[in-house]
Amino acid sequence: MTQPTIISRGEHGISRDQIDHNALKVLYRLHNAGFQSYLVGGGVRDLLLGLEPKDFDIATDATPEEVRKLFRNCRLIGRRFRLAHIHFGREIIEVATLRGDHSPRNKDGVLDDSGRILRDNVYGTLEEDVWRRDFKINALYYNIADFSVIDYTGAMADINDRKMRMIGDPETRYREDPVRMLRAVRFASKLDFTINKESADPIHELAPVLAEIPAARLFDEAIKLFHSGNGVKCFELLKEFGLLEILFPQTVAAIKKDAEFDVFLVKVLQSTDRRIMSGKTVNPAFVFAALLWQPIMGYMQRSLNDGLPINVAMQKAIDKVLPAQLRVTSMPKRLSMIMKDIWFMQDRLKNHSGKRAISVFSHQRFRAAYDFLCLRSAAGEDVEKDCRFWTELQELPEAKQEKALRPKKSFMSHFKKKKKVKE
Ligand code: ATP
Ligand code: MG
């Protein structure tokens, strides 16, 4: 048996008033019902680092059914991991039952041929639960019974050294769940930690295994990376590890052909990071539209060279590029519609007056399409004039905007009118 290091209440920086009050409620109710009850994972890690946790995860020895009996506002979810979600308005506190050994010896835990975990529903003790977590820094437990932090893996040392080490053999752990490679990138970027060599090296070789993960899960993980507020850093690390090539093969091929596209993507992600840091909303369709922009343009150019009209060329390019991406990272239809709007509107934004200009300006996605246009301009595409036009237009008082877009009367129409008066 491994002996944990117990860091007592006075020896660590976590105090209860930093913990979300709904999470505290759940911790206490479990504890008062006689169960073990811990705050775990990112919540503990971030509090120790003086950061504000994104969410608070709770671990307990109560089974999901026992948790449900304690909370009226509880729903059980998940197949691979059966979890209890406790709802407080829009906030959800996730409660997981401590889990044990998932090796093939154990009939309730199932690995597939490549060593991937398919089911992981064997309940266990705290000591067993520790070893199924990914990085040491994610395996600290804050015990509500005595406010201590329990450390089985040497995680406190890693937090102090600002480094990330995988628990167990990194290669085995990445094969069990290849998404851990993306999590490595996400935490290293967010925390500005270094991944130690043993945990970083296998990623280069194992990156292709990621392709076996269901497309819906990869979409979720991709969004977490690009909407983390550290999108630029994530993007650079994904490239470095060869992970971007698996997630966005067409993007990487386009970057290899055209370094300016890389500049554009960095600008898009810088702008996304700024928006997130200042609390503005971001739409996943925007980053995805950017990642596929150059591949779309490439196909489009070929059709234009063949003499096809621009809208037809665009549609053909979309039919080529989008399905190929959705096989890797699927996305809800509503988002792919927004992407298409952004792409189609790039050409329409070349109209500065008349019916088409008015319709593009009143389009629900005008703002996104305009932002996209100006980022293209900032990255060196020849659309500076268009970006400037729409920027200036929006600076006009509202009453004047519509007038400015009205069709400009041509010399001929002026002439015709005059003639009419004479008759
Ligand atoms: P954040 O919430 O800031 O994204 P987190 O570390 O809390 O980071 P979650 O996805 O919320 O990450 O998961 C909570 C905890 O569950 C993790 O800290 C880790 O201990 C464990 N965990 C989550 N996903 C995995 C995984 N794929 N493999 C192993 N352990 C995992
Ligand atoms: Mg979390």
Side-chain angles (χ1 to χ4, degrees):
M1 231 173 82
T2 326
Q3 284 304 320
T5 306
I6 310 282
I7 301 107
S8 66
R9 178 183 191 172
E11 296 171 296
H12 60 71
I14 300 180
S15 76
R16 267 164 295 165
D17 52 352
Q18 295 167 296
I19 301 172
D20 173 270
H21 82 277
N22 290 326
L24 268 183
K25 244 193 246 173
V26 176
L27 283 167
Y28 273 121
R29 192 170 304 175
L30 288 164
H31 173 69
N32 292 336
F35 295 110
Q36 295 174 49
S37 169
Y38 310 96
L39 184 67
V40 64
V44 184
R45 177 196 70 213
D46 291 353
L47 287 179
L48 287 169
L49 288 164
L51 302 170
E52 197 180 318
K54 203 181 73 202
D55 49 32
F56 290 87
D57 303 297
I58 289 172
T60 177
D61 61 347
T63 63
E65 285 72 21
E66 285 170 327
V67 175
R68 183 163 53 183
K69 282 190 194 135
L70 282 177
F71 298 92
R72 255 188 328 123
N73 45 341
C74 173
R75 252 182 251 155
L76 302 189
I77 61 138
R79 260 191 330 151
R80 213 191 100 195
F81 291 105
R82 234 166 117 68
L83 297 168
H85 273 183
I86 323 244
H87 291 253
F88 297 90
R90 290 182 60 192
E91 190 186 6
I92 296 175
I93 304 291
E94 195 165 281
V95 181
T97 304
L98 296 170
R99 279 172 173 76
D101 190 4
H102 50 65
S103 64
R105 281 177 277 127
N106 199 317
K107 66 175 176 29
D108 289 323
V110 178
L111 297 180
D112 73 2
D113 294 342
S114 55
R116 188 146 61 89
I117 302 180
L118 298 179
R119 246 186 297 127
D120 184 7
N121 258 332
V122 195
Y123 301 133
T125 61
L126 175 61
E127 197 206 337
E128 290 167 329
D129 187 80
V130 174
W131 309 106
R132 68 165 188 94
R133 298 195 175 265
D134 48 6
F135 297 94
K136 295 189 176 193
I137 56 166
N138 289 344
L140 287 165
Y141 298 74
Y142 172 82
N143 188 356
I144 201 68
D146 61 3
F147 315 120
S148 66
V149 171
I150 304 170
D151 179 6
Y152 273 93
T153 64
M156 276 296 198
D158 285 9
I159 295 230
N160 290 329
D161 300 344
R162 305 188 75 82
K163 72 176 182 215
M164 286 166 57
R165 283 183 294 168
M166 181 64 92
I167 295 172
D169 171 52
E171 178 171 346
T172 312
R173 304 302 312 283
Y174 290 132
R175 282 193 191 281
E176 272 174 10
D177 181 2
V179 166
R180 287 172 186 153
M181 296 188 275
L182 300 180
R183 291 173 57 86
V185 166
R186 181 153 60 88
F187 298 132
S189 304
K190 166 179 162 165
L191 307 171
D192 201 17
F193 274 30
T194 46
I195 308 170
N196 84 324
K197 192 169 155 42
E198 287 87 279
S199 304
D201 282 354
I203 300 181
H204 299 275
E205 210 174 301
L206 292 177
V209 186
L210 203 57
E212 292 166 19
I213 297 297
R217 188 167 177 220
L218 284 188
F219 172 72
D220 290 344
E221 293 297 329
I223 293 306
K224 282 189 204 165
L225 286 157
F226 293 128
H227 285 185
S228 61
N230 303 283
V232 176
K233 244 194 269 170
C234 285
F235 181 64
E236 299 302 341
L237 277 183
L238 287 175
K239 271 192 286 188
E240 209 175 300
F241 279 121
L243 291 162
L244 193 70
E245 192 160 347
I246 309 302
L247 284 179
F248 297 94
Q250 302 176 101
T251 309
V252 171
I255 290 175
K256 280 183 186 151
K257 274 194 243 154
D258 172 10
E260 251 181 35
F261 182 40
D262 192 59
V263 175
F264 169 63
L265 292 176
V266 170
K267 291 217 182 281
V268 167
L269 291 167
Q270 277 169 342
S271 137
T272 306
D273 288 350
R274 273 198 302 270
R275 285 185 74 94
I276 289 167
M277 291 304 184
S278 59
K280 289 190 188 156
T281 58
V282 282
N283 190 314
F286 194 88
V287 172
F288 269 71
L291 286 160
L292 298 178
W293 176 238
Q294 198 59 46
I296 291 276
M297 294 268 276
Y299 278 110
M300 216 169 91
Q301 195 53 53
R302 271 182 249 168
S303 298
L304 291 176
N305 292 346
D306 291 343
L308 290 178
I310 195 150
N311 275 351
V312 179
M314 171 63 84
Q315 189 57 54
K316 274 189 84 155
I318 291 176
D319 292 344
K320 203 83 190 173
V321 172
L322 193 52
Q325 183 59 44
L326 296 185
R327 276 196 288 279
V328 191
T329 55
S330 63
M331 67 164 76
K333 184 135 195 184
R334 130 192 94 75
L335 293 182
S336 51
M337 298 295 284
I338 297 174
M339 276 169 62
K340 287 183 203 174
D341 282 343
I342 293 174
W343 288 332
F344 269 110
M345 283 166 80
Q346 296 308 300
D347 180 57
R348 288 187 211 142
L349 288 166
K350 287 185 191 148
N351 300 298
H352 297 177
S353 69
K355 255 191 357 219
R356 294 183 122 216
I358 293 170
S359 95
V360 85
F361 188 50
S362 57
H363 195 287
Q364 196 193 356
R365 300 292 164 205
F366 168 78
R367 186 68 211 195
Y370 157 78
D371 286 342
F372 197 89
L373 177 81
C374 290
L375 285 161
R376 287 171 56 207
S377 165
E381 274 195 67
D382 184 20
V383 286
E384 198 195 330
K385 250 185 15 217
D386 302 319
C387 164
R388 195 160 355 108
F389 171 79
W390 290 105
T391 306
E392 283 168 9
L393 184 89
Q394 290 171 86
E395 284 161 2
L396 291 176
E398 216 165 294
K400 288 197 175 159
Q401 291 175 344
E402 203 247 350
K403 208 171 151 202
L405 291 175
R406 273 189 214 149
K408 307 279 176 286
K409 290 205 179 82
S410 68
F411 174 73
M412 280 306 283
S413 69
H414 181 72
F415 181 70
K416 272 183 205 155
K417 227 182 190 173
K418 271 204 158 166
K419 244 176 96 179
K420 244 186 190 169
V421 174
K422 263 191 180 172
E423 279 165 12

